[in-house]
Every structure is written in structure tokens, then in C-alpha cells.
Amino acid sequence: PPRSTLFPYTTLFRSAVSAAAFDSANKLYEEGKFTDAASAYEKLAQSGETSAALYFNLGNAFFKSGQIGRAVAAYRTAQQLTPHDPDVRANLQFARNQAQGPTLSPSRFQRWLGRLTLNEWTLLAASVLWLWLLLLTVLQWRPALRPTLRGYGFSLALLAVLFSVCVAATLRETRFTRTAIVVTGEAVVRYGPLAESPTAFTVHDGAELWVLDQKDEWLQVTAGPNRVGWLRRDQALVSRS
């Protein structure tokens, strides 16, 4: 089951009013008024407050009130703010597991990329690149060491290329890929951006779909190979991956 215990403050709120509102929302949650708690957390988030605790608690409230898609969206935001928190990861995965029918399934490479943030991959790639350049400099000064250190130079070059690929892939995932999270009990994905278009497939609350295009109030989405169609914009929340 998900970790339903509320997070305490992890960052200071901008005002005493916001802190009081957070406490009030927590009290509603503890009283079992999950829908009211979700509304209170959401209002606080809309006021400009941003913290992993706020979005984690919002995700819990949505999940407890049966709004799986909105819970997934909240947990995803919390994960962006605190990428390595095990409770956030666990609750996000648990909520994702509740989605029925077609939904995105990350590849092994995508799961591996998700172990580090964009900044962490960038730092790792830059560090390895500097080590490689330093080694090249040493080899220029001490040619006698070339037979001994040539293998290290080759390995560092390969690592620099690999980590650079990871940086590029993570940048694409986090900056240029949009995900639609279904927030209605059931939604029809159609072959065209019209209400009269034939049904391509059906998705359910909590399903995550890649956004390929947008036309008026329709999103072109995909749940993988052979599952492409158009979804009404008001049936999903759209976020960066």
C-alpha cells in the first residue's frame, strides 16, 4: 500500500498564512476528509507555494479520494522537487499500478536514466570529460606514460560519450517531451480530432500517454506502438516528463 503518512514541513512557506493553510489541509486529511484536503492543498499550490511535502500530501489526498490520475500528477511534481525520496517514488509507482488498460511503460533505459536528475547526469559527464582532458595533458607532458595510461584514456573517452548521451536523453525527456495524464474514469481516444471520429482505444483514470501534437481542444497521444489517437484536452493533465 502507499505511504499515507503526511510529510511535515520540508521547506519554509512564504508566509504564516500559507503555513496555517498547510496545517489546516493536513487536519482535514487526518479527519478523513480527503476531497476537502485535496482542494485545500491544491488551492495552496495555486497560490504559488511549491514544496515536495505539499505535492506529496496532495497526491495522498487525491489517491485517498479515488482520483488516481491527479494523484499521479501530484506525485510526479513531488518527484521533480525531490528526485531521490523513496516514499515519493514508492507512492508514484503504487498509483501508476492502479491504472487499468493502455498506459506508458518506461523502457529499461528510461528507468536507468531516471536514477539521476539532469543536473546529476550533466555533472557526471562534465567530471569524466575533465578527467579525460587532464589525462591527455599528462600524456603530453610525460610521453613515457602513454603505453601504461592509453587504456585509461580510451575508457574515460567512452564514459564521456556514454554520459553525454544520457544527458541528451534526459534533457529530451524532461524538457521536450510532454505527458498527458488521464483524470477521468474512462476516456475514448479517437482516430481523429473530432467527436464523431471512430474509437482507436479506451484509457482510464491514471493512464499516462505521450503527447505528439495538439489541435484545438484535442491532443494527439500514444501509449506505445500501434496505439495512437486523439484525446480531448479536458480529460487529461499535461506535464513535462
Side-chain angles (χ1 to χ4, degrees), residues 194-217:
L194 296 170
E196 299 79 16
S197 298
T199 299
F201 57 96
T202 302
V203 291
H204 299 85
D205 190 19
E208 295 170 89
L209 311 165
W210 278 319
V211 178
L212 303 177
D213 198 3
Q214 182 169 351
K215 184 176 182 181
D216 298 327
E217 73 273 19

Side-chain angles (χ1 to χ4, degrees), residues 50-74:
T50 302
S51 75
L54 172 59
Y55 281 98
F56 181 85
N57 291 4
L58 176 59
N60 283 349
F62 276 139
F63 187 88
K64 289 288 191 179
S65 59
Q67 301 179 73
I68 305 302
R70 295 184 185 279
V72 168

Side-chain angles (χ1 to χ4, degrees), residues 72-206:
V72 168
Y75 289 141
R76 282 169 57 111
T77 302
Q79 187 178 49
Q80 291 170 3
L81 297 170
T82 177
H84 302 300
D85 188 282
D87 291 321
V88 173
R89 284 176 175 257
N91 278 24
L92 174 57
Q93 189 56 53
F94 188 89
R96 281 172 165 165
N97 290 342
Q98 310 311 304
Q100 303 296 315
T103 188
L104 290 176
S105 179
S107 65
R108 184 177 300 178
F109 179 64
Q110 288 173 320
R111 289 195 295 270
W112 187 65
L113 280 180
R115 292 179 179 272
L116 298 178
T117 65
L118 176 60
N119 288 340
E120 290 167 341
W121 280 120
T122 302
L123 180 61
L124 191 57
S127 300
V128 172
L129 180 60
W130 277 107
L131 283 174
W132 179 64
L133 293 174
L134 179 62
L135 181 59
L136 290 182
T137 303
V138 170
L139 294 179
Q140 289 295 320
W141 288 346
R142 301 287 299 276
L145 295 176
R146 289 179 183 175
T148 305
L149 299 181
R150 184 179 292 117
Y152 292 102
F154 182 72
S155 298
L156 286 174
L158 284 180
L159 283 175
V161 171
L162 173 62
F163 293 150
S164 296
V165 169
C166 291
V167 170
T170 305
L171 179 63
R172 179 179 180 276
E173 289 280 337
T174 57
R175 298 290 189 270
F176 302 107
T177 301
R178 293 190 302 161
T179 302
I181 305 166
V182 178
V183 293
T184 59
E186 182 176 282
V188 175
V189 179
R190 301 185 181 278
Y191 281 113
L194 296 170
E196 299 79 16
S197 298
T199 299
F201 57 96
T202 302
V203 291
H204 299 85
D205 190 19

Side-chain angles (χ1 to χ4, degrees), residues 4-24:
S4 57
T5 303
L6 297 179
F7 270 4
Y9 299 139
T10 56
T11 59
L12 293 175
F13 286 98
R14 293 181 301 175
S15 68
V17 173
S18 296
F22 188 73
D23 281 337
S24 177

Side-chain angles (χ1 to χ4, degrees), residues 25-26 28-29 33-46 54 57-67 70-71:
N26 287 346
L28 289 171
Y29 182 94
K33 300 175 181 178
F34 303 121
T35 301
D36 292 339
S39 297
Y41 290 128
E42 200 167 26
K43 184 177 179 180
L44 189 55
Q46 291 170 351
L54 172 59
N57 291 4
L58 176 59
N60 283 349
F62 276 139
F63 187 88
K64 289 288 191 179
S65 59
Q67 301 179 73
R70 295 184 185 279

